[in-house]
Amino acid sequence: MADILQIVVLGIALGGVYALMASGLTLIFGVMRIVNLSQPIFIIVAAYISYFLFRLYGLDPLLSLPINAIVLFFLGLGLYKLVLEREAASARYSEMTVLLTFGIALCVDGLLGTLFSNTQRVTTPDYATDAVILGDVFLPKGWLYAGIASIVVIGALVLFLHYTRFGYAIRATTQNRDAAQLMGVNVGFVCLITFGIGLALAGAAGALVSFVFSFFPAKQWDWIAILLALVVLGGMGKLHGMIVA
């Protein structure tokens, strides 16, 4: 019984991190039908930002989370405008984005490998090697803090989508793009900002990944299958379903 409880506790804590990692992917697909295979490599980009902020300035990864989110948000805006926006009207846009984002992932992977090599790295705040022990069950503090931070960020995203005017526009675009446009929603602008938000979520996840996992550029290929499985299992583009998955 203790073993089962241990597995459940660890699974919930780690599941929160995976949910945050996949949330940007499912949001982007729901609004724009972009299958963003580059999402994991941008999580690793954010992990490197947190890693070097910790090594050079002693900044806790949890405190670097908003910095990562802001940096990746603006990176997402630039990426969408330069690469993904021009073919948005194509009938085969989803299929094209698979190739485009796969190419982006390869390019960023190569760049990171050149700059930092494929040496495994991990951020080591004090709590990363400590644990909470309750009877026969233990929970690493790093996993606990990462799980809580993931729940907070995802909760903020859900509130944003359900209780803000722009959140209504995102949900309307997800449900019916043409109808949303007829109702006065600037679909192009919604897509741009949503892609930025999707990468901002990758940035937030990267801060947590930096101390929960060891990472290196090629680690992204291990995560693509996991994140896509969560998105598909939860229902393509359905945030609540992905969280449950």
Side-chain angles (χ1 to χ4, degrees):
M1 184 63 184
D3 290 341
I4 295 175
L5 184 58
Q6 179 70 72
I7 292 170
V8 170
V9 168
L10 293 178
I12 291 173
L14 190 58
V17 178
Y18 278 126
L20 182 58
M21 292 170 69
S23 59
L25 183 61
T26 197
L27 183 66
I28 288 171
F29 180 83
V31 174
M32 292 165 281
R33 297 296 184 264
I34 292 176
V35 182
N36 186 17
L37 298 184
S38 65
Q39 189 82 355
I41 195 63
F42 286 112
I43 293 174
I44 293 175
V45 168
Y48 273 109
I49 294 173
S50 289
Y51 174 81
F52 284 109
L53 287 175
F54 178 78
R55 290 293 302 272
L56 297 176
Y57 304 106
L59 185 66
D60 190 290
L62 292 173
L63 298 179
S64 68
L65 188 152
I67 297 174
N68 288 1
I70 293 170
V71 171
L72 269 292
F73 174 78
F74 286 104
L75 182 61
L77 297 185
L79 184 64
Y80 182 77
K81 292 293 289 185
L82 291 173
V83 180
L84 297 167
E85 184 182 44
R86 64 185 64 183
E87 300 295 339
S90 172
R92 305 193 64 179
Y93 187 55
S94 291
E95 293 90 335
M96 293 173 63
T97 60
V98 173
L99 298 177
L100 284 171
T101 57
F102 182 73
I104 291 168
L106 286 177
C107 291
V108 178
D109 186 344
L111 178 62
L112 292 178
T114 300
L115 293 175
F116 308 120
S117 77
N118 272 313
T119 302
Q120 297 199 42
R121 302 170 192 261
V122 64
T123 307
T124 54
D126 293 339
Y127 52 78
T129 55
D130 202 356
V132 176
I133 300 175
L134 300 172
D136 295 329
V137 177
F138 79 94
L139 177 60
K141 285 187 177 179
W143 289 29
L144 174 62
Y145 295 165
I148 293 172
S150 298
I151 292 169
V152 170
V153 174
I154 293 173
L157 175 64
V158 171
L159 291 175
F160 170 75
L161 292 175
H162 284 81
Y163 296 104
T164 67
R165 192 174 184 84
F166 197 81
Y168 295 153
I170 291 176
R171 291 166 57 207
T173 304
T174 301
Q175 293 170 8
N176 192 313
R177 187 187 186 98
D178 294 332
Q181 199 158 16
L182 289 173
M183 294 300 293
V185 174
N186 186 340
V187 170
F189 184 70
V190 167
C191 290
L192 173 66
I193 299 301
T194 301
F195 195 85
I197 293 173
L199 284 206
L201 292 168
L208 307 180
V209 163
S210 71
F211 63 86
V212 172
F213 304 106
S214 61
F215 63 91
F216 56 98
K219 183 72 173 178
Q220 64 151 331
W221 305 116
D222 294 337
W223 289 337
I224 285 177
I226 295 173
L227 301 188
L228 287 178
L230 291 176
V231 173
V232 173
L233 185 61
M236 300 294 282
K238 298 184 184 301
L239 182 62
H240 294 84
M242 181 279 302
I243 293 170
V244 173

